[in-house]
Amino acid sequence: MFDVEKVRRDFPILGVRVYDKPLVYLDSGATAQKPECVIETVDRLHRESNANIHRGVHFLSEEATEMYEAARARIAEYIGAEAREEVVFTAGATASLNTVAYAWCERFLRAGDNIVVSEMEHHSNIVPWQLVAERKGAEIRVLPFDEEGRLMTVHGGVDVKALDCDFYAFSGHKLYAPTGIGVLYGKRDLLDRMPPFLSGGDMVDRVSFEKTTFAPVPLKFEAGTANFVGAIALGEAVRYVRQFDAAEVEAHERALLLRATEGLEGIGGLRIYGTAPGKCAILSFNVEGVHPYDMGMILDKLGIAVRTGQHCAEPVMTHYGVTGMCRASFAMYNTLAEADALVAGVERAVKMLK
């Protein structure tokens, strides 16, 4: 059986009180909280192993480099990459997408090609493709998204070899790791053929005024002083997640979703957006006559943290004809009691606002 109380003890922030009420954190879809082992890893690296990677022969530099590359290998195994060189560390999924949009498109995109993105795409991610298309004169088509095609990075459900995808990207902060770190997976032959996106230290081989040659992948795409602390902490987050049975975690989150859904469906005027079977543990909803910001502010006063607004998804909001929604997103550290607290909080807010 999945022991959620044991899991909760790993996350110090869950003991925080908000307005003198226990924190009910239901915004993990925006950023997940961090377990003690990840927090300790960041602290220990700054205290004991802080040195620039790949650029020194002294002990601290070599130690940090070894841990950085070990994290790369761990993440490569986690997502099923053929080799660790196919894992590029970035600042997050957005940085990964921009790298592909500019580096891959610079080499392979031709005028007249189609770029197919989804109405459910993160709306900031549409921007680099638009800019590339404008520069190349290509066409953009926006197509519906099939939720059955979703991938579960957090639950260890990604196998890039089985998917046979050319690229895959994710952010560490949604995988219980720090912010400012992410991963771009790319097939080795494509990464080898792509030009670098950013220039700077560590991505060069030889430099002269006549000619510059670049380092091999993945370093070619990791310009500047790397966020080695974030990368190593991401590796630790992956180690933490892998100690749990992925099916048990997913079943626990599905139970949370079912409990909250059943409760919210009994509230008059409330509409849940996204009801496909097998959906991940996220509930987006509105109540007729209630602004989502007002709902979110009242829930906050009750200690319940939810997301309000467009959720970086303006195109799909436009599709539904709304300007904003409330969103509760569950993680493995949430409890059935917290799902009940959400329902009770929404009921209270509706009585106050209608």
Side-chain angles (χ1 to χ4, degrees):
M1 294 291 294
F2 184 75
D3 190 345
V4 65
E5 293 301 329
K6 181 179 178 181
V7 171
R8 288 178 66 82
R9 291 194 289 271
D10 292 336
F11 292 82
I13 201 169
L14 299 182
V16 168
R17 295 184 70 83
V18 176
Y19 304 114
D20 201 32
K21 296 178 177 60
L23 171 65
V24 177
Y25 187 77
L26 302 180
D27 197 21
S28 296
T31 195
Q33 298 300 342
K34 322 306 174 195
E36 187 72 46
C37 62
V38 170
I39 296 170
E40 289 178 350
T41 295
V42 172
D43 182 69
R44 176 175 51 80
L45 288 168
H46 282 142
R47 290 179 183 274
E48 302 175 7
S49 303
N50 185 48
N52 214 323
I53 60 171
H54 298 144
R55 307 188 197 184
V57 296
H58 59 81
F59 178 84
L60 291 181
S61 177
E62 292 191 344
E63 181 182 52
T65 299
E66 182 178 341
M67 289 188 288
Y68 181 80
E69 293 302 335
R72 193 194 307 276
R74 177 177 287 170
I75 292 162
E77 180 186 6
Y78 182 65
I79 65 173
E82 188 72 33
R84 66 180 184 87
E85 289 80 10
E86 294 181 323
V87 170
V88 177
F89 286 119
T90 69
T94 296
S96 297
L97 182 69
N98 274 271
T99 298
V100 175
Y102 288 99
W104 182 84
C105 290
E106 177 68 28
R107 181 61 55 87
F108 298 106
L109 188 67
R110 298 292 179 266
D113 291 344
N114 287 328
I115 302 172
V116 181
V117 294
S118 162
E119 286 184 336
M120 293 186 70
E121 178 62 86
H122 189 295
H123 65 203
S124 295
N125 291 344
I126 295 174
V127 176
W129 295 107
Q130 287 177 327
L131 295 177
V132 166
E134 289 172 4
R135 187 180 63 181
K136 294 286 187 178
E139 174 189 349
I140 290 185
R141 290 189 292 131
V142 180
L143 300 181
F145 177 75
D146 177 7
E147 186 168 328
E148 294 302 314
R150 66 181 173 81
L151 301 174
M152 302 295 289
T153 305
V154 174
H155 295 155
V158 176
D159 185 337
V160 292
K161 282 189 292 188
L163 290 169
D164 195 27
C165 57
D166 293 325
F167 302 102
Y168 187 85
F170 65 91
S171 294
H173 69 98
K174 301 190 181 186
L175 188 59
Y176 309 107
T179 56
I181 189 68
V183 165
L184 168 64
Y185 159 80
K187 288 183 177 178
R188 178 64 184 269
D189 64 322
L190 292 175
L191 293 176
D192 282 336
R193 293 159 62 192
M194 287 161 52
F197 173 44
L198 298 174
S199 299
D202 223 23
M203 53 77 67
V204 291
D205 178 27
R206 299 185 65 85
V207 179
S208 70
F209 286 104
E210 290 74 31
K211 183 180 180 181
T212 296
T213 57
F214 302 116
V217 295
L219 298 184
K220 179 170 67 171
F221 299 105
E222 295 179 357
T225 299
N227 181 6
F228 58 91
V229 173
I232 296 167
L234 175 55
E236 177 62 20
V238 167
R239 186 205 64 78
Y240 176 79
V241 168
R242 294 191 74 176
Q243 71 180 299
F244 301 103
D245 183 286
E248 288 186 2
V249 173
E250 193 166 2
H252 171 68
E253 293 182 4
R254 188 176 298 114
L256 295 169
L257 177 67
L258 179 62
R259 181 74 154 255
T261 300
E262 290 177 343
L264 292 177
E265 285 178 336
I267 298 175
L270 188 145
R271 178 183 178 184
I272 294 174
Y273 298 89
T275 57
K279 62 175 285 186
C280 53
I282 292 178
L283 271 173
S284 295
F285 63 92
N286 271 328
V287 178
E288 185 179 0
V290 176
H291 196 284
Y293 286 171
D294 294 333
M295 173 68 72
M297 291 175 67
I298 291 177
L299 291 176
D300 176 55
K301 295 300 182 183
L302 299 174
I304 304 169
V306 298
R307 182 79 179 269
T308 55
Q310 293 180 328
H311 318 316
C312 298
E314 187 174 358
V316 76
M317 293 283 179
T318 302
H319 172 84
Y320 282 110
V322 297
T323 58
M325 300 177 186
C326 292
R327 186 184 74 188
S329 49
F330 298 94
M332 62 179 174
Y333 42 63
N334 291 122
T335 66
L336 291 174
E338 290 181 322
D340 293 340
L342 170 67
V343 175
V346 172
E347 289 176 335
R348 182 171 176 180
V350 170
K351 291 178 181 178
M352 294 174 63
L353 295 169
K354 292 190 71 174

